[in-house]
Structures are given as structure tokens and as C-alpha cells.
Amino acid sequence: KYSNAIGVVKFANMLSYPCLFQKSVLAKIPSSPLSQTYRAFLPMVARTLPQNSFCRTFHRNQTSSATSKTDTLIIGGGPVGSSVAYHLATNSRSNDGRGIVVVERDPTYSKASATLSAGGIRQQFSLFENVQMSLYGRDFLRTAHQRLQTETNPNVDLQFQEHGYLFLASTETGVHQMNENHRVQCRAGCADIHLLPPTELKESFPWMNMSDVLLGSFGSRGEGWFDPWALLKGLKDKNIEMGVTYIHGEPIGAKRDPTTGRILSVVVREAESGQTVKHSVNSVVNGAGAHAEQLMNLLAGPDLPLKYPLPVKPRKRCIFFFHCSAPTGVPTIAPLTVDSSMVYFRSEGHPGQGNFLCGVSPRSENDPDCYDIRELENADHHLFDEVIWPALFHRVPAFGEIKVKSSWAGLYDYNTVDHNAIIDFHPEMNNVLMLNGFSGHGLQQSPAAGRAGAELLDYGRFVTLDLDIFRFDRIQNDEPVLEVGIV
């Protein structure tokens, strides 16, 4: 009944008792692409869902009421986990997903990092491998209507808006890094990323203040944003059609071989029936996102703790949705612009409506781990007041007349070592594949990460892209691989 985020927020605020939102209500949420409306609304609904359950006690002698033989157990049905299932089924199994089981504790994805993100994709990275991964992500999005088509969902539309990314540099150091990055991007095959001096930037973006800008990097095609919910639904529907099993539940225990450390079985509690099922497994995939570290500890158990723990922590990130009412100087369409201050913003919704999203990563000293999901109930508005809005107003004078209409918070799976993905088997549990620590890039890199994960499971090595740079041994050897300009 409500056609925009403002209407839904008003409706939600009228409800005095959050207990009215039970799981039965969540199940009725339409499966249409997750618009800004739902991104604003779902965090409020999420308050009634269970708290982080990966922190529960490991049950060494957990009994189960049923057993199942599972080839590949994927824990986490978000974009990364579902992408692994998709690529496993399509790459070497002739579209046969039998034997692949995906466990997801929140099938509404109301608290998922992906659906609470800005939905961006870019190739403007400093690492060659990150550029390559996002190039495949771009191609996957462009062809998703063919790849993910099913009998029940023949018209898959991820709403990929190729409005670009624009990075701005205001120091000589920033200019040098931007030139270095551009060389890497060109070597990886990016033909649509252009370095623009201030005069050309002003011609292309007359609504922007360029007085302190020395250089810009603009991706004219292949970069922009898309609908995370549509990707999740498309992957899940296609996987189910191919025979992949999705279980609404959570792991509550595991059994390891005391000699090799391999995972022999995982006990899963299914949400609807309450039944516990022991899955005898060949392989386990950690696709638990921000909760990946807790999952690794659960799999390892208290008797054989990991010598090399997974350095991935949950970190809170906030997004603000605002409207600009200035009579002039309002961008019709703003690319996802990353200011030299690292504040970002982009258009949201139909062109010319004056609606935008924005955000920024907090400084390291103000960025604690976030294990209590209740902290996500409210965005950090002081971050908007003290950091974001001054940067917005400086860069776009028309943004002096804006009003925040809604806000929400989600989690990053933050790799504390080098902010880059870990794509590898764990040396102490060598049948547990980790696809973790993307530090905000998991959604856009999920197609490539899923393909890489499937290759490791099938062949024991990377095939299409050489991603050895993301192996776990860099963590063991304290040899970080740094990406410049984490957004």
C-alpha cells in the first residue's frame, strides 16, 4: 500500500508493539526485487528475529533425530554461499545440484549484509585480482536474465544501473595512487574507466564543486548498482530448480576427525520443525559473512581450537537515505561518488526525484566489533551530522537543503588483517572452504567468489582466475595483501 520509503517508515512508526511482526508476517513479504522501500523497512522488522545464534555453545555430544549424507554443506545462503551452489551445479555437474545443501537461518534476508547494502559494483580497485573478480561480476549481472532464468521466474531483472563510480582525488598522493590504480585496471581489461582533470569533471558534473579536486576516475560503463534482493532470489530459485536443497536452520555442532582435523559431520537444527539433522559431509563451505569467525569456532569445537583463527569480525555500517529539495543544482543522476573524504553518495530511485543514498566507513578508532545485533536497530546519526553532511555540502552545494528520510545499519565481514577476501581451505580443517572477509565487497564479488570456490571444491585449484593471492597462508605468514581505498 505504500509506494515509497517514507510511507513505509511512517507505517512502521505507527506500530507500538514490535511483537506484531512475527515470522508469519515476514513470510508474506513479497518476493519482488528489494527496493529502497524494503531496505528501509526490513531493519525494523528484524528486531523480532532471533539474535546471533553462532555464539551459542558448541555441543560436543549433540544428538540428532535424523541423518543425511551431504556432499557439500554450505552454511550461509547469502550471495556468496548461493553463488558457490550455483557454480558447483553448473560448472561440472551438468546443472545437477543434488548433494548440495545450503543452510540459511534467515530466509527473509532481513538482516543480511547484502540486502542492507548500497548494492554497488565497481572495477576501480588497486589489486589486479579484485579488478578481475569484479569484471566477472559485471558480466554475470549483465547476463543474469539468461543464467538465472527458471520456469517459475522466466524474467529475472537485477535492475543493474550502469551509472558509474566516480572517485575524486584532492592531494598529490591521491593523484599518484589514482594513476597507479588506473594502470592496473587497464591491464586487467577495463576499457570504460577514464581519468578526468577538473575541467572535464566540471563539464560532466556541473552540479559538483571541483575547487579542491585534482583528478577524477570515472567508470562510464560496467559500474553502478543493482538490486541485491533480486540477485539473491534469482540465485536461490535457479539453485532449487537444479536440485540444490535449502534448509531454514542453523548449525549447532560438528564432529571432527581427531587425527586429521577434518569435519566428519555437522548437526543442523531446522527452524520450522525444530528437528536436528546430522549431515555427514565431504566438504563444508563457510559462507556465513559477518558471522564467519563464530562459525569456524563452532566447527573446530572446544577440544581442538584453531591455532590460526579466521580474522574476520562483524563491523557496523550505516546508510542514510535523503531527499534534496534545492531549486537548482540537484543532480538528475549522480554516479556512486567516492569523495576524497571517503564519504560516498549516489542517486536512488527514478532520475530527477532528488533522492540519494550516502554513507562512510567510521575511523578505525571508532569502529568496534559488533556482536550484538541489537546495535543495528539504529543508524549512527552522529556520523551523518559530524562527517557525512559537511562533506556532502562541500562537494554538492545543493545538498545544503537536504532531509534524511530514513536510515539503517548492517554488518560488514571485516578482514582485520588486510581487508581482502580469504578464499581457501583452512589448514587445520582441510575440508572447510572459507569464502570470507570481503570487507564490503562480497556482494559484487559473489559471482567470482562462488566460481572460485566451486573450482577449489571440484579441482583443488583455481582455474579461470588465478586468485592465489587470497589464500589463507598469507594470514599464517603475516603477509597482508592490501587494497587501497576501501569504501
Side-chain angles (χ1 to χ4, degrees), residues 76-229:
V80 172
S82 290
S83 177
V84 174
Y86 168 85
H87 285 90
L88 269 178
T90 57
N91 283 1
S92 63
R93 307 189 187 192
S94 302
N95 294 343
D96 185 354
R98 291 174 297 177
I100 304 171
V101 175
V102 180
V103 178
E104 172 55 49
R105 62 181 179 175
D106 177 20
T108 68
Y109 298 106
S110 61
K111 295 176 289 184
S113 298
T115 55
L116 296 173
S117 74
I121 180 170
R122 60 181 166 108
Q123 290 82 57
Q124 294 190 61
F125 288 96
S126 64
L127 285 178
F128 182 79
E129 291 80 3
N130 276 336
V131 179
Q132 287 185 308
M133 290 182 72
S134 284
L135 281 171
Y136 177 65
R138 175 202 67 185
D139 296 342
F140 191 94
L141 295 182
R142 286 176 171 174
T143 57
H145 63 286
Q146 298 171 332
R147 294 174 182 265
L148 304 182
Q149 184 182 58
T150 64
E151 290 186 6
T152 58
N153 188 12
N155 301 308
V156 177
D157 181 10
L158 303 191
Q159 301 183 27
F160 184 18
Q161 308 293 315
E162 298 188 41
H163 295 310
Y165 263 65
L166 173 63
F167 282 78
L168 301 176
S170 296
T171 66
E172 292 297 338
T173 301
V175 169
H176 174 76
Q177 188 63 58
M178 190 170 284
N179 278 292
E180 290 293 316
N181 293 354
H182 189 254
R183 279 189 280 272
V184 172
Q185 294 151 15
C186 291
R187 183 164 60 89
C190 296
D192 299 310
I193 299 174
H194 311 283
L195 296 181
L196 304 176
T199 52
E200 294 185 32
L201 287 169
K202 194 64 179 178
E203 290 177 4
S204 299
F205 310 103
W207 39 268
M208 195 177 295
N209 170 27
M210 298 294 179
S211 61
D212 59 339
V213 174
L214 301 178
L215 188 65
S217 180
F218 178 55
S220 58
R221 295 179 66 249
E223 299 188 323
W225 52 91
F226 61 97
D227 192 324
W229 173 259

Side-chain angles (χ1 to χ4, degrees), residues 43-44 108 119 133 149 177 188 223-224 229 244 249 254 297 307 310 374-375 400 407 429 461-462 464 475 480 486:
M44 302 175 189
T108 68
M133 290 182 72
Q149 184 182 58
Q177 188 63 58
E223 299 188 323
W229 173 259
V244 175
N297 293 337
K307 179 180 179 182
L310 182 64
R374 291 173 296 184
E375 294 183 23
S407 59
M429 299 186 292
R461 60 186 176 86
F462 297 116
T464 51
I475 307 298
I486 297 295

Side-chain angles (χ1 to χ4, degrees), residues 313-327:
K313 305 292 185 180
R315 297 288 175 88
K316 181 180 180 179
R317 294 293 182 266
C318 304
I319 293 181
F320 302 88
F321 171 62
F322 69 90
H323 176 75
C324 180
S325 59

Side-chain angles (χ1 to χ4, degrees), residues 45-58:
V45 178
R47 297 175 188 175
T48 66
L49 294 178
Q51 301 300 310
N52 182 6
S53 53
F54 282 136
C55 294
R56 294 179 179 176
T57 303
F58 174 86

Side-chain angles (χ1 to χ4, degrees), residues 36 207 319-325 329-335 345-349 352-358 392 396 399 402-403 405-406 408:
Q36 172 61 38
W207 39 268
I319 293 181
F320 302 88
F321 171 62
F322 69 90
H323 176 75
C324 180
S325 59
V330 182
T332 302
I333 295 180
F345 64 91
R346 69 162 175 84
S347 292
E348 171 67 9
Q353 291 187 335
N355 294 325
F356 303 88
L357 297 183
C358 66
L392 292 177
V396 183
F399 285 172
I402 64 175
K403 183 176 182 180
K405 295 294 186 178
S406 64
W408 58 93

Side-chain angles (χ1 to χ4, degrees), residues 7 63 98 215 233 245 247 374 405 428:
T63 59
R98 291 174 297 177
L215 188 65
K233 187 178 187 305
T245 298
I247 295 175
R374 291 173 296 184
K405 295 294 186 178
E428 300 166 64

Side-chain angles (χ1 to χ4, degrees), residues 466-480:
D466 181 0
L467 301 179
D468 280 336
I469 195 173
F470 298 132
R471 293 279 195 177
F472 190 74
D473 57 6
R474 78 182 196 273
I475 307 298
Q476 294 174 269
N477 301 328
D478 193 22
E479 297 174 348

